[in-house]
Amino acid sequence: MAKYWSRPAAEALKADGLRIADLDTSATPGFSGDKAMGLGLLAERATLLSGLQEKLYANGRSGDKRSVLLVLQGMDTAGKGGIVRHVIGSVDPQGVDHAAFSVPTPEEKRHHYLWRIRKALPRGGQLGVFDRSHYEDVLVVRVHNLVPPAEWEPRYDEINAFERELVDEGITLVKVAMFVSLDEQKRRLRQRLERPDKYWKFNPADIDERAYWPAYQDAYQAMVDRTSTAYAPWHVIPADRKWFSRLAVTELLIDALETLKLDWPSAKFDVEEELRRLDKA
Ligand code: AMP
Ligand code: MG
């Protein structure tokens, strides 16, 4: 376990029994260090993460079918993009399968909601990242009645069965739900309006969505209550402090990769023989 952690991040951030409406979004569960310590540790741990990811990739190149999939959920401004840029950004991009899920296209709408998800699953050896996911189909869809309850209600069980299938196929799921406070969201949205380099992230609809905050909290609560399983648990990350959420996700990914107990793939050639050949070449 990394220093300054009183217990593993995977344990400290477990969603079990947690009331999302009561969450202190500025807390740093399990971590006793301050921001400077957190940032120092993050740099150290990013190097470890990158090494582990390279091992996963190397094994994938040798036919290993296993992969890791980070599923990111959170309201606008929760910091999903920051995780992609700063955490995933520390590993080799050729080993990353990234997918962002927005409002379904007309073609996607003609299919089952898991259709676009299946197409984007990581290949063997890859670190997959979902910026939003199939969970939008029990979040925004539920909050805005995009389909009737009779249609979204069975999705929780369906998602559990789907994820069971993925785990059985060798995909380790790391599910992360990030939460900022309503005030912190306002601060971040204001920044998007005050800084020309952030206009591109602003969507006027984000302001309207704030009126649905309690409905989203209910939907997120139902999501973690009903789809946190032993094989694919949810982690809830207080995200007012960006350094903490980035460190926490780094730790969760390290934990997932270490659980795979990866070695470097063995040589598929005679090393001594190749050295002799090289000498003479
Ligand atoms: P962003 O992540 O800021 O680019 O925004 C993507 C938008 O797509 C968010 O408002 C999501 O709620 C929305 N979205 C993602 N998946 C779905 C879905 N299955 N149905 C409806 N809206 C969705
Ligand atoms: Mg957005």
Side-chain angles (χ1 to χ4, degrees):
M1 197 166 55
K3 57 189 173 198
Y4 313 128
W5 285 91
S6 57
R7 51 207 165 117
E11 223 173 82
L13 301 165
K14 267 251 158 76
D16 295 358
L18 201 105
R19 303 308 308 161
I20 285 165
D22 300 337
L23 185 73
D24 175 1
T25 54
S26 65
T28 62
F31 188 75
S32 57
D34 60 14
K35 180 176 181 177
M37 292 165 176
L39 287 172
L41 184 59
L42 183 57
E44 242 176 72
R45 303 293 279 174
T47 306
L48 176 63
L49 175 62
S50 173
L52 286 164
Q53 177 273 334
E54 189 183 356
K55 247 184 209 173
L56 179 70
Y57 183 72
N59 278 281
R61 291 290 299 266
S62 301
D64 195 328
K65 294 281 172 259
R66 291 175 299 170
S67 61
V68 171
L69 174 57
L70 174 66
V71 174
L72 294 171
Q73 281 296 157
M75 303 285 288
D76 268 293
T77 77
K80 302 183 293 298
I83 296 294
V84 174
R85 183 169 177 166
H86 298 280
V87 176
I88 303 304
S90 68
V91 312
D92 185 347
Q94 67 182 326
V96 173
D97 275 344
H98 172 269
F101 296 97
S102 196
V103 179
T105 62
E107 188 192 18
E108 287 170 348
K109 277 201 183 107
R110 282 196 296 275
H111 290 88
H112 188 270
Y113 69 98
L114 292 175
W115 179 75
R116 63 176 183 167
I117 304 296
R118 286 186 187 278
K119 282 203 308 174
L121 291 170
R123 295 158 288 158
Q126 297 292 111
L127 173 56
V129 186
F130 282 0
D131 181 342
R132 303 187 189 269
S133 65
H134 41 300
Y135 285 102
E136 290 293 325
D137 289 280
V138 289
L139 292 169
V140 65
V141 167
R142 168 178 161 148
V143 168
H144 290 288
N145 302 307
L146 301 182
V147 302
E151 204 170 314
W152 56 253
E153 177 60 36
R155 287 181 178 172
Y156 298 98
D157 291 340
E158 190 174 32
I159 287 172
N160 286 336
F162 170 62
E163 292 185 352
R164 176 77 255 180
E165 200 187 302
L166 301 190
V167 170
D168 290 344
E169 282 166 13
I171 300 178
T172 300
L173 288 158
V174 180
K175 302 194 294 194
V176 164
M178 303 171 71
F179 295 96
V180 285
S181 68
L182 199 51
D183 281 349
E184 178 64 16
Q185 193 200 43
K186 186 177 252 184
R187 216 182 56 74
R188 292 184 186 181
L189 286 175
R190 175 168 290 122
Q191 210 172 52
R192 291 183 180 183
L193 288 168
E194 287 174 349
R195 285 180 43 181
D197 63 320
K198 294 206 183 256
Y199 290 166
W200 67 275
K201 293 187 192 180
F202 184 78
N203 176 353
D206 297 346
I207 294 180
D208 304 309
E209 284 299 88
R210 287 170 61 76
Y212 295 90
W213 199 263
Y216 270 108
Q217 285 196 325
D218 289 349
Y220 270 99
Q221 188 71 54
M223 177 190 85
V224 299
D225 288 348
R226 299 187 60 183
T227 63
S228 211
T229 54
Y231 51 89
W234 272 107
H235 298 97
V236 168
I237 305 209
D240 283 2
R241 301 172 199 256
K242 290 178 181 172
W243 63 266
F244 177 72
S245 54
R246 291 169 191 174
L247 178 63
V249 175
T250 302
E251 296 296 351
L252 293 174
L253 288 174
I254 287 173
D255 183 55
L257 285 159
E258 283 182 337
T259 303
L260 296 181
K261 300 204 181 315
L262 298 162
D263 278 319
W264 293 108
S266 52
K268 291 183 175 56
F269 42 84
D270 180 337
V271 177
E272 293 305 320
E273 170 64 15
E274 294 305 314
L275 279 168
R276 271 192 298 276
R277 271 173 14 88
L278 181 63
D279 271 344
K280 284 187 239 141

